[in-house]
């Protein structure tokens, strides 16, 4: 599967905020790092987040504003330590990136897991189900410290593809959480490249994420 489009429920929580929130949404993603995630309430668009793997655009219609910057800066806006490309990798069952070398088998509380090293020195540990082999949990470790966790829940076979009903992203130290709950899912369709390059509507302010005031306004 090289592309996916889906109707989703988006859940976000961070210790930097006063609370958590959920909204309906639509998602489109293409390997290796292009994604568009739109959140809405009733008929009103709450946000429209777009990345082509190099840059991102966050459109906030109610503020008549587009925030833009390098893709690596987008996590500043939601106070969650994840890059857009890492979300795309997770969607396609490739948590945290490609291994630097081969895989190894490890024992975790009597259960078999698979582990691999990343180029940045982190280790990924993953547990799979059998018959079929499906990713259930992936953890990111820095030495003896677990820094992130991914849970893939309740797989269903949709159009010949096993796909989780929900993916949960957790960061224990940051007390951060992102969830994507999937409804209608479509695979392998041709998604035009322009989908992942946002053109601001006329009259909308375009500002850089590096502006400190922007960060304070987006993260209450």
């Amino acid at each position: 599967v090289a592309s996916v489009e889906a109707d989703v429920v988006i859940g976000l929580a961070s210790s930097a905020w006063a609370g958590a929130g959920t909204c309906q949404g639509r998602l489109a993603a293409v390997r290796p790092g292009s994604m568009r995630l739109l959140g809405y309430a009733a008929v009103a668009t709450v946000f429209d987040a777009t990345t082509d793997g190099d840059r991102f655009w966050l459109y906030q219609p109610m503020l008549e504003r587009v925030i833009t910057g390098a893709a690596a800066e987008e996590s500043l806006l939601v106070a969650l330590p994840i890059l857009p490309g890492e979300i795309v990798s997770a969607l396609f069952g490739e948590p945290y990136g490609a291994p630097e070398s081969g895989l190894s088998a490890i024992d975790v509380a009597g259960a078999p897991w698979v582990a691999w090293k990343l180029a940045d020195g982190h280790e990924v540990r993953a547990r799979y189900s059998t018959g079929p082999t499906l990713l259930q949990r992936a953890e990111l470790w820095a030495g003896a410290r677990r820094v992130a966790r991914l849970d893939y829940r309740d797989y269903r076979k949709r159009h010949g593809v096993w796909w989780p009903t929900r993916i949960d992203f957790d960061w224990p130290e940051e007390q951060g959480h992102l969830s994507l709950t999937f409804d209608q899912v479509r695979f392998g369709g041709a998604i035009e490249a322009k989908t992942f390059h946002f053109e601001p509507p006329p009259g909308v302010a375009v500002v850089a994420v590096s502006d400190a005031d922007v960060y304070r306004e987006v993260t209450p």
Side-chain angles (χ1 to χ4, degrees), residues 41 51 70 77 82-83 110 118 137 144 158 175-176 179 184 206:
T51 181
L77 293 176
I82 189 167
L83 303 180
L118 301 178
R137 170 171 287 186
R158 308 172 192 245
Q175 299 177 41
S179 66
Q184 299 296 321
V206 179

Side-chain angles (χ1 to χ4, degrees), residues 28-177:
V30 173
R31 297 173 185 259
S34 297
M35 183 176 67
R36 188 159 194 169
L37 185 61
L38 182 148
Y40 58 91
V43 296
T45 299
V46 178
F47 68 86
D48 189 349
T50 309
T51 181
D52 59 7
D54 295 319
R55 296 195 62 79
F56 83 90
W57 299 263
L58 175 64
Y59 176 37
Q60 300 168 295
M62 290 180 287
L63 298 178
E64 297 186 333
R65 178 174 68 179
V66 174
I67 304 172
T68 186
E73 296 176 302
E74 186 171 13
S75 60
L76 294 175
L77 293 176
V78 293
L80 296 176
I82 189 167
L83 303 180
E86 293 172 345
I87 297 178
V88 177
S89 294
L91 288 172
F92 294 105
E94 300 167 347
Y96 308 117
E100 177 71 4
S101 56
L103 309 179
S104 61
I106 61 173
D107 182 278
V108 178
W113 288 50
V114 176
W116 62 89
K117 293 287 187 181
L118 301 178
D120 62 7
H122 286 76
E123 182 181 60
V124 180
R125 302 175 186 177
R127 183 185 72 219
Y128 294 83
S129 65
T130 56
T133 302
L134 300 171
L135 180 60
Q136 295 179 318
R137 170 171 287 186
E139 300 178 347
L140 184 66
W141 288 75
R145 179 171 57 92
R146 187 179 67 186
V147 297
R149 183 180 69 231
L150 268 168
D151 283 303
Y152 294 76
R153 305 183 187 277
D154 188 19
Y155 280 88
R156 298 179 185 178
K157 201 166 190 178
R158 308 172 192 245
H159 310 291
V161 177
W162 287 101
W163 194 265
T165 298
R166 175 168 166 154
I167 302 177
D168 285 300
F169 302 74
D170 284 290
W171 299 271
E173 292 183 2
E174 292 82 1
Q175 299 177 41
H177 179 81

Side-chain angles (χ1 to χ4, degrees), residues 65 67 77 207-219:
R65 178 174 68 179
I67 304 172
L77 293 176
V207 295
V209 69
S210 53
D211 187 325
D213 291 334
V214 168
Y215 175 76
R216 285 196 293 269
E217 291 173 11
V218 174
T219 308

